[in-house]
Amino acid sequence: MKIHRTLYLQFLAAYVLFGVLSFLAIVTVSSEAMMRNLVKVKADSLYREASLVANGYAMSIYNNDPNSREAAVAQLRAIDTYVSAAVWIINNSGKVIFESREGSWDHEKSFLDFDPAFTGRYYMTGDFYGAFKEATLSVFSPITSKYKVVGYVVIHSSMADIRRSRDSILRVELMTLGIIMGFSLIILAVFTIKVYLPLTKVTKAAEEYAEGNMSYNIEGTETQDEMGYLAATLAFMAHEISKSEDSQRKFIANVSHDFRSPLTSIRGYLEAVIDGTIPPEMHEKYLKIVLDETLRLTKLTNGLLELNSLSSVGMVLDLTDFDINSVIKATAESFGGQCREKKISIELILTGDELRVRGDQDRIKQVLYNLLDNAIKFSHNNSIIKIETTEKGDRIYISVKDFGIGIPQDSVKLIFDRFYKTDLSRGKDKRGTGLGLAIVKEIIQAHNENINVISTEGVGSEFIFTLPTAEEK
Ligand code: ADP
């Protein structure tokens, strides 16, 4: 499967989009709002000047006294310089009667449309009825005499100044955005190193595993974070799968091998009987061997069937309370013949007359049977086997101990595996299937209990398993 829209590209696109949208927001919305604000602030401050003029010097302009008019004109010019804005006085009919920059009295300019009472505002922006070529902010304040408006003081300031202030603020904002984008580039870099690159490695590994290459090594992701954990988990999973594939292969190889050798010998003997290689007087001897081999095959098949039914999920146990002592006695008795043959005595060291436990009686009997069978098989002639029960808290410990050939140190871990046989036992026990202890382990585990083995090569072995005490008292 090919990934088309990678996380990384989406992340990059989001980053670029973030930058572009922020830039657009600054140059449109933010710039617009700033402009409106700056105009308002400037208009407010000019309005204060205009009001001062309207309530003071403006009246002197209307005055006929040339001295006071001249003084007023000088003041208005000074204000013009101070606020760097043209100061006009427009009379009621819209005629400009004073202009600080022209300095002529009988001015022809008149603005018949000019009617602040109508606009309801104290300033306007634009070319002031065509008076200016460039955009201008015009602020006006009424001149009143005897409660009547006789004219207006109008102060015109170029918008260019305001634009310049806006542009310089805008530049600072854009610079800040640039710095923020720069910093988020660091986040992007960290994301690339900490998340994206490891993720590509993990993805590559997942692809390899999906193709069956379970030995693929995920490299460079041994970090102590979620990525490292993910990589480690994936590697562990692959390892487990390859292990279970391995054990399945081994299992099948073992089954095939264990079936093939008796079949080969059966076939060999039967062919020899048929073609006369084996004389009739020897037939009985060899047919007995053939029978033995078929018995072994039956045992093997039964063992496999048993294991299969045990390990299928949710093995159903028929749990009851029963006396383990009597089960031990009965199992020991069933080996009477074999014991006599090898002159082995079984010693029972049981707690109390009756020791009630909870479990699946038939299965536990099979556990004891398999353990005792092994103990006798691997014991020397004239030795003893001890079966002992002990009660500790709410657990019963059952031990089957022999003084036979023992188990080599490095085999102890393996004896519960299917088909495993130690090299020591191969010679002694040709009939063994290597399934007995695997079945024992499955049964004990289904009871949620434990089984352990203590063994010394050449000295003997002890198998100990636990069972819960009976529920009814
Ligand atoms: P088997 O049918 O071969 O007995 P098990 O699964 O019961 O299969 O046992 C596996 C192997 O563990 C045996 O082949 C033997 O090598 C070893 N083993 C089991 N029990 C004992 C014991 N009491 N003493 C020595 N070796 C034992």
Side-chain angles (χ1 to χ4, degrees):
M1 184 188 63
K2 210 79 225 106
I3 306 167
H4 292 294
R5 287 176 44 194
T6 70
L7 259 183
Y8 195 59
L9 285 183
Q10 290 177 42
F11 213 78
L12 266 185
Y15 175 77
V16 171
L17 196 69
F18 173 75
V20 169
L21 287 183
S22 306
F23 178 79
L24 287 180
I26 287 176
V27 299
T28 57
V29 181
S30 172
S31 151
E32 186 67 25
M34 211 148 49
M35 193 68 189
R36 223 176 300 131
N37 213 34
L38 286 171
V39 166
K40 176 89 165 56
V41 169
K42 179 94 180 186
D44 280 351
S45 92
L46 289 181
Y47 181 73
R48 272 194 297 279
E49 297 294 333
S51 303
L52 279 175
V53 173
N55 295 327
Y57 308 116
M59 288 315 291
S60 307
I61 299 294
Y62 283 96
N63 210 325
N64 284 329
D65 174 12
N67 279 342
S68 63
R69 194 186 298 164
E70 213 159 293
V73 168
Q75 285 300 334
L76 292 179
R77 293 235 168 92
I79 289 173
D80 176 325
T81 317
Y82 174 57
V83 297
S84 61
V87 182
W88 290 9
I89 292 176
I90 298 176
N91 76 5
N92 240 348
S93 55
K95 188 168 157 45
V96 178
I97 59 165
F98 171 77
E99 204 176 340
S100 63
R101 299 221 164 144
E102 298 285 319
S104 59
W105 284 107
D106 41 22
H107 209 279
E108 290 309 315
K109 276 182 195 154
S110 62
F111 302 95
L112 299 177
D113 296 337
F114 179 59
D115 185 7
F118 183 70
T119 62
R121 299 248 308 266
Y122 61 92
Y123 69 89
M124 58 190 274
T125 53
D127 60 359
F128 200 72
Y129 307 101
F132 302 101
K133 282 196 202 70
E134 52 162 11
T136 305
L137 166 66
S138 309
V139 181
F140 24 85
S141 175
I143 307 164
T144 46
S145 170
K146 300 193 186 94
Y147 308 111
K148 269 177 66 192
V149 175
V150 293
Y152 292 92
V153 174
V154 184
I155 301 183
H156 299 290
S157 171
S158 163
M159 291 279 279
D161 283 347
I162 300 177
R163 284 219 185 88
R164 261 195 296 282
S165 334
R166 179 204 58 186
D167 288 347
S168 69
I169 297 177
L170 215 57
R171 262 197 299 282
V172 173
E173 279 191 6
L174 288 176
M175 243 159 64
T176 313
L177 176 66
I179 292 170
I180 291 174
M181 291 305 283
F183 279 138
S184 26
L185 217 57
I186 296 176
I187 297 178
L188 197 68
V190 171
F191 168 82
T192 308
I193 294 166
K194 300 290 273 180
V195 179
Y196 178 67
L197 293 181
L199 196 62
T200 7
K201 284 182 190 152
V202 170
T203 314
K204 172 90 178 79
E207 275 170 6
E208 290 286 337
Y209 295 150
E211 277 165 20
N213 179 12
M214 290 301 164
S215 56
Y216 183 82
N217 227 344
I218 313 182
E219 261 165 32
T221 47
E222 299 86 2
T223 45
Q224 293 295 317
D225 50 20
E226 288 85 345
M227 266 303 152
Y229 184 69
L230 176 64
T233 311
L234 200 67
F236 177 73
M237 183 202 76
H239 180 65
E240 288 297 301
I241 291 177
S242 72
K243 238 175 41 188
S244 93
E245 273 177 357
D246 252 19
S247 77
Q248 211 157 352
R249 239 196 309 278
K250 245 193 257 161
F251 179 77
I252 290 171
N254 283 333
V255 173
S256 316
H257 178 265
D258 276 49
F259 273 89
R260 200 174 46 197
S261 36
L263 283 175
T264 315
S265 76
I266 289 171
R267 186 173 155 189
Y269 290 130
L270 289 181
E271 276 173 356
V273 167
I274 288 169
D275 65 20
T277 316
I278 295 175
E281 61 273 20
M282 302 282 274
H283 279 184
E284 195 184 332
K285 180 186 165 194
Y286 285 99
L287 285 180
K288 245 202 177 122
I289 296 177
V290 168
L291 192 63
D292 267 0
E293 293 290 348
T294 59
L295 283 180
R296 187 165 130 68
L297 281 176
T298 313
K299 203 171 148 195
L300 199 61
T301 315
N302 287 343
L304 278 173
L305 283 174
E306 180 115 28
L307 257 187
N308 204 35
S309 76
L310 289 181
S311 47
S312 57
V313 230
M315 153 181 181
V316 197
L317 291 177
D318 180 16
L319 292 179
T320 53
D321 291 338
F322 63 92
D323 174 25
I324 187 77
N325 285 352
S326 57
V327 175
I328 291 173
K329 282 179 210 150
T331 316
E333 267 161 29
S334 68
F335 283 97
Q338 271 160 272
C339 286
R340 268 191 295 281
E341 228 171 76
K342 291 184 80 172
K343 302 203 173 58
I344 289 171
S345 62
I346 300 180
E347 194 178 315
L348 303 183
I349 309 162
L350 306 178
T351 309
D353 283 341
E354 225 191 40
L355 189 57
R356 297 188 67 76
V357 296
R358 186 156 188 87
D360 186 325
Q361 186 170 347
D362 288 340
R363 306 258 199 226
I364 295 301
K365 187 167 178 162
Q366 187 175 7
V367 167
L368 280 166
Y369 185 95
N370 288 5
L371 292 180
L372 205 50
D373 186 34
N374 282 344
I376 294 169
K377 262 194 315 202
F378 301 116
S379 277
H380 308 297
N381 288 353
N382 297 308
S383 67
I384 59 166
I385 291 169
K386 285 185 187 171
I387 306 180
E388 191 172 350
T389 56
T390 9
E391 195 172 2
K392 266 187 215 154
D394 57 356
R395 286 255 147 347
I396 308 291
Y397 288 74
I398 299 130
S399 141
V400 178
K401 185 173 185 180
D402 66 62
F403 300 89
I405 62 170
I407 302 163
Q409 191 71 43
D410 45 350
S411 298
V412 171
K413 283 197 306 286
L414 305 168
I415 53 170
F416 291 103
D417 287 357
R418 296 167 179 197
F419 293 110
Y420 184 79
K421 294 185 219 166
T422 68
D423 292 334
L424 281 185
S425 67
R426 278 182 206 281
K428 268 195 168 276
D429 169 41
K430 296 220 168 51
R431 296 243 182 105
T433 58
L435 291 177
L437 286 179
I439 293 173
V440 164
K441 180 126 200 181
E442 293 279 356
I443 293 174
I444 297 298
Q445 273 177 348
H447 281 78
N448 282 326
E449 295 293 325
N450 290 310
I451 179 155
N452 268 314
V453 57
I454 307 163
S455 183
T456 311
E457 192 177 341
V459 177
S461 317
E462 180 176 14
F463 288 83
I464 306 164
F465 67 93
T466 54
L467 279 179
T469 49
E471 283 182 359
E472 39 125 289
K473 268 280 171 253

